Amino acid sequence: MNIGDFLKELPGKKLDEKLFLLKYKPHEKSHLVIKDPSKCLLCEKKQCTHICPSKTYEWQEERILISHENCLECGSCRIVCDEFNNIDWQYPPGSFGVTYKYG
Ligand code: SF4
Ligand code: SF4
């Protein structure tokens, strides 16, 4: 089951309640890397901070902070960072990452 199907199957619940139903096993090494942080300074919309449903990206003190342990692996951030193509995104290795309890 992917994230879209998971969210559709839980109508009536708020996003925070849905996220609470997931299980995370974060790897120590981030599977999300900003290729060139200086490009983020030129990025006006900072789409990654708006699109991510789990608030993995945060703009703080002139740089992007990444909390990769929150990632739902939906892939949206690498798509919206189209102007600078600045996110190196891979699935976490092995059994790490997010698991959907109902799938
Ligand atoms: S959308 Fe891409 S370039 Fe813009 S702030 Fe996010 S990672 Fe940086
Ligand atoms: S893949 Fe999805 S959940 Fe993970 S950081 Fe990107 S937008 Fe957020």
Side-chain angles (χ1 to χ4, degrees):
M1 179 186 289
N2 64 31
I3 179 64
D5 293 337
F6 174 77
L7 294 175
K8 273 189 243 163
E9 282 201 6
L10 296 168
K13 289 193 181 297
K14 293 180 180 169
L15 180 60
D16 285 351
E17 294 172 319
K18 292 174 180 177
L19 295 176
F20 185 71
L21 296 171
L22 302 174
K23 279 196 330 195
Y24 300 88
K25 185 179 170 191
H27 193 272
E28 59 185 346
K29 186 177 172 202
S30 177
H31 61 289
L32 308 166
V33 176
I34 302 292
K35 297 178 195 169
D36 180 356
S38 68
K39 287 185 179 170
C40 296
L41 289 166
L42 306 172
C43 177
E44 284 186 23
K45 294 181 185 164
K46 300 187 177 33
Q47 304 94 312
C48 61
T49 63
H50 304 297
I51 196 74
C52 179
S54 58
K55 300 186 178 13
T56 295
Y57 298 92
E58 191 180 349
W59 182 249
Q60 221 179 69
E61 297 179 6
E62 302 299 301
R63 67 191 182 112
I64 290 283
L65 301 180
I66 303 178
S67 304
H68 74 281
E69 62 278 4
N70 295 340
C71 178
L72 303 173
E73 300 166 28
C74 71
S76 303
C77 52
R78 65 178 166 176
I79 294 170
V80 296
C81 182
D82 55 349
E83 185 180 354
F84 295 99
N85 185 22
N86 202 19
I87 298 175
D88 186 4
W89 193 106
Q90 297 173 18
Y91 281 109
S95 60
F96 290 93
V98 68
T99 340
Y100 301 98
K101 289 180 189 170
Y102 298 107

